[in-house]
């Protein structure tokens, strides 16, 4: 009702869009973002809000255009330069992104997030001044803070590129220790909640809806973070019949809408999630996301964490295709541990918590596979990089589509990438990440033993 009568006050529109997103009405929220008044805005506060909303919808070209106007208004604002650099990175304009991150650090030398983004854009070489920049910047941060850890993550990447593995490991261990200390309460809550959900899902997997929907249909790509989900998305989106919608939050929002609940981590919350009206969940999800398909019959929802609710996805959308990326336990665990996720995955900064979560993930995927045999297609990361065409043929066949030559060539795909793989997937396909953990085999032995114990 509010959307129907809303005028052109951008403060009101912005608040309304935020509220609509909170309650799962993303399609209407997106419609409000198309109002011409946003394009005519000239004040910095309105442009910043508009840019952030476009970014949240994965519309990075439009977000960049807004940041271009913002930087013209406030060229000495270091934070704006970092935001603009991030959009350039997502769009594959890496040289320009590098210049913006450097401009940010020239104005905000203690901003570790910009340093971390900068050093990940390309392989570092001797003579790069980034180590000196990191040392100077970190001195401006408080030990034990997330900003301090950001510089340690950045130092790790530089030192590893330079072949200084012992020093690189020390920096990485320090970064993770800091982040784990900051997230200790969240770690316990998340692991406890996930364990409860695993037990309840195994005891009572949700009943599948009998409702079938006309197209366009979603293709869900799921798996642990850093398991190769972005790589598969880039390949699959080369197909002429498939659009890529990015990492959507809509399925989780629809679960909460139908449950009439706020997110929670208690046993009662998880129990309610398994007995919802899944036909209504599916209807709501499609109503909010189908616009992203454009004129194509399929669209990709690539949110790795949807593995938690893969069975619920099938219950709500029986015709949806679900693709699960599977990666070697040590490869994926180390790739997670060496990444800076902020507060998104609180369990990722500690060996024991990481191994515990991996065990929960495997148990949950085994539960879904047993409850719904043949529904979820496992795709091995090693196969995807080792035999990309053959592996992708199997994926395309599972999706019910005809094969198209060249889909495995990720360099063909020019769509934005807003994940930690944004620079990596601009390169030709390679298998360099296989066994990457072995250069730190001695230091990672405790993690290997924890993962081995899960078997």
């Amino acid at each position: 009702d509010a959307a129907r009568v809303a005028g052109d006050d951008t403060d009101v529109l912005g608040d309304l869009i935020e509220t609509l997103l909170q309650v799962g009405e993303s399609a209407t929220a997106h419609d409000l973002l198309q109002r011409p008044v946003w394009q005519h805005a000239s004040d910095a506060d309105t442009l910043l809000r508009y840019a952030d909303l476009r970014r949240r919808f994965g519309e990075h070209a439009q977000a960049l255009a807004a940041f271009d106007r913002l930087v013209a208004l406030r060229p000495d604002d270091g934070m704006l330069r970092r935001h603009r650099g991030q959009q350039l990175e997502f769009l594959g304009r890496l040289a320009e992104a590098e210049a913006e991150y450097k401009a940010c650090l020239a104005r905000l030398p203690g901003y570790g997030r910009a340093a971390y983004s900068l050093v990940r854009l390309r392989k570092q070489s001797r003579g790069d001044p980034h180590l000196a920049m990191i040392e100077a910047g970190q001195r401006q941060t408080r030990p034990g803070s997330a900003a301090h850890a950001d510089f340690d993550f950045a130092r790790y990447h530089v030192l590893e590129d330079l072949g200084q593995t012992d020093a690189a490991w020390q920096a990485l261990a320090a970064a993770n220790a800091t982040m784990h200390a900051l997230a200790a309460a969240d770690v316990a809550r998340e692991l406890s909640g996930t364990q409860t959900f695993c037990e309840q899902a195994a005891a009572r997997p949700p009943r599948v809806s009998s409702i079938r929907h006309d197209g366009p249909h979603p293709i869900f790509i799921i798996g642990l973070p850093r398991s190769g989900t972005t790589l598969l998305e880039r390949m699959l989106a080369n197909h002429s019949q498939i659009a890529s919608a990015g990492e959507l939050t809509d399925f989780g929002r629809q679960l909460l809408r139908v449950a009439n609940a706020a997110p929670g981590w208690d046993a009662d919350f998880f129990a309610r999630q398994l007995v919802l009206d899944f036909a209504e969940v599916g209807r709501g999800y499609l109503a909010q996301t189908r616009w992203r398909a454009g004129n194509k019959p399929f669209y990709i929802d690539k949110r790795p964490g949807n593995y938690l609710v893969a069975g619920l996805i099938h219950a709500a959308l029986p015709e949806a295709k679900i693709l699960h990326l599977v990666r070697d336990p040590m490869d994926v665990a180390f790739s997670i541990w060496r990444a800076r996720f902020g507060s998104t995955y609180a369990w990722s900064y500690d060996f024991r918590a990481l191994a515990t979560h991996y065990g929960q993930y495997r148990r949950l995927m085994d539960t879904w596979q047993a409850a719904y045999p043949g529904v979820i297609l496992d795709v091995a990361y090693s196969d995807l990089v080792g035999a990309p065409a053959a592996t992708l043929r199997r994926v395309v066949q599972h999706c019910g589509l005809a094969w198209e030559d060249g889909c495995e060539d990720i360099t063909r795909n020019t769509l934005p990438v807003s994940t930690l793989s944004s620079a990596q997937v601009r390169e030709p396909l390679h298998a360099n990440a296989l066994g990457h953990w072995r250069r730190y085999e001695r230091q990672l032995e405790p993690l290997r033993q924890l993962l081995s114990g899960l078997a």
Side-chain angles (χ1 to χ4, degrees):
D1 290 342
R4 280 192 288 273
V5 301
D8 280 340
D9 183 308
T10 53
D11 287 338
V12 173
L13 287 174
D15 289 347
L16 183 52
I17 290 170
E18 297 275 0
T19 306
L20 288 165
L21 289 174
Q22 287 177 4
V23 296
E25 294 287 345
S26 56
T28 302
H30 187 258
D31 288 343
L32 292 178
L33 204 53
Q34 312 311 310
R35 294 281 187 92
V37 65
W38 293 108
Q39 302 298 329
H40 300 148
S42 58
D43 65 289
D45 288 343
T46 300
L47 282 170
L48 183 59
R49 192 170 203 182
Y50 174 65
D52 181 62
L53 289 169
R54 286 293 189 185
R55 175 194 61 79
R56 288 169 63 182
F57 275 103
E59 296 174 325
H60 300 291
Q62 294 92 327
L64 175 61
F67 280 120
D68 288 346
R69 295 166 65 190
L70 277 163
V71 169
L73 290 172
R74 300 192 332 213
D76 292 325
D77 188 323
M79 196 65 74
L80 286 180
R81 303 301 290 265
R82 187 256 174 177
H83 288 318
R84 182 172 185 271
Q86 189 176 53
Q87 299 309 308
L88 288 164
E89 177 185 343
F90 293 166
L91 291 164
R93 295 161 60 176
L94 303 186
E96 294 170 85
E98 184 173 4
E100 286 299 280
Y101 290 144
K102 288 179 178 178
C104 168
L105 288 163
R107 293 159 177 80
L108 298 171
Y111 189 27
R113 291 289 297 277
Y116 178 66
S117 297
L118 173 63
V119 301
R120 296 186 74 259
L121 287 177
R122 59 179 174 84
K123 188 176 179 64
Q124 306 298 300
S125 58
R126 297 192 184 280
D128 280 335
H130 292 156
L131 277 179
M133 173 269 292
I134 290 167
E135 297 295 339
Q138 192 173 44
R139 285 195 292 269
Q140 298 191 29
T141 66
R142 177 176 55 83
S145 67
H148 197 86
D150 289 338
F151 280 108
D152 278 328
F153 276 118
R155 181 183 291 107
Y156 155 73
H157 280 282
V158 174
L159 291 170
E160 182 175 90
D161 285 349
L162 297 179
Q164 300 178 30
T165 52
D166 287 341
W169 178 263
Q170 292 175 11
L172 183 58
N176 277 281
T178 298
M179 294 301 291
H180 178 62
L182 293 171
D186 290 336
V187 171
R189 184 192 64 169
E190 288 187 19
L191 293 180
S192 175
T194 305
Q195 181 62 29
T196 298
F197 188 60
C198 287
E199 293 168 358
Q200 294 183 346
R204 187 170 53 177
R207 183 174 299 173
V208 178
S209 166
S210 61
I211 303 297
R212 296 297 185 270
H213 302 274
D214 296 329
H217 295 301
I219 298 171
F220 290 88
I221 298 180
I222 64 174
L224 284 174
R226 312 300 296 157
S227 62
T229 56
T230 300
L231 179 61
L232 178 58
E233 177 198 33
R234 303 293 284 178
M235 291 181 176
L236 206 53
N238 280 331
H239 198 286
S240 65
Q241 302 299 299
I242 302 174
S244 179
E247 296 190 3
L248 305 183
T249 60
D250 292 271
F251 191 81
R253 295 287 186 193
Q254 291 305 311
L255 291 174
L256 296 174
R257 178 185 68 84
V258 175
N260 195 26
W265 289 92
D266 58 283
D268 183 58
F269 171 81
F270 289 118
R272 293 199 308 274
Q273 296 294 303
L274 292 166
V275 293
L276 296 177
D277 179 350
F278 286 106
E280 176 60 18
V281 173
R283 185 206 64 77
Y285 174 85
L286 294 174
Q288 302 307 324
T289 61
R290 276 181 161 169
W291 62 270
R292 293 180 178 273
N295 59 357
K296 297 186 178 183
F298 293 90
Y299 58 103
I300 299 169
D301 181 340
K302 186 206 80 77
R303 189 169 184 83
N306 273 338
Y307 71 80
L308 286 164
V309 292
L312 283 62
I313 289 172
H314 178 60
L317 297 162
E319 69 277 21
K321 305 301 180 182
I322 305 177
L323 309 173
H324 170 222
L325 261 294
V326 182
R327 192 174 176 188
D328 173 82
M330 280 301 293
D331 270 343
V332 74
F334 179 57
S335 190
I336 291 170
W337 201 67
R338 68 194 289 267
R340 194 268 187 216
F341 289 115
S343 59
T344 304
Y345 303 116
W347 44 266
S348 67
Y349 302 111
D350 172 76
F351 281 175
R352 187 168 297 279
L354 174 53
T356 299
H357 185 86
Y358 182 86
Q360 293 172 339
Y361 147 76
R362 281 305 334 165
R363 180 180 177 186
L364 199 50
M365 290 309 305
D366 289 345
T367 294
W368 301 140
Q369 295 280 20
Y372 314 110
V375 167
I376 301 171
L377 179 68
D378 284 347
V379 182
Y381 175 81
S382 57
D383 292 343
L384 198 60
V385 297
T391 304
L392 197 61
R393 277 182 182 272
R394 185 166 60 92
V395 171
V396 169
Q397 182 180 22
H398 180 78
C399 293
L401 291 168
W403 173 251
E404 294 179 356
D405 289 337
C407 284
E408 73 278 11
D409 181 5
I410 58 173
T411 62
R412 281 177 42 189
N413 194 319
T414 59
L415 293 172
V417 185
S418 58
T419 71
L420 285 174
S421 304
S422 55
Q424 178 185 351
V425 296
R426 305 291 177 183
E427 304 169 354
L429 187 66
H430 58 73
N432 296 347
L434 296 178
H436 184 191
W437 66 274
R438 292 190 181 279
R439 69 182 65 185
Y440 302 104
E441 192 166 2
R442 174 178 55 82
Q443 297 95 328
L444 287 168
E445 178 59 19
L447 177 59
R448 191 194 67 77
Q449 289 185 13
L450 286 167
L451 292 172
S452 298
L454 297 173

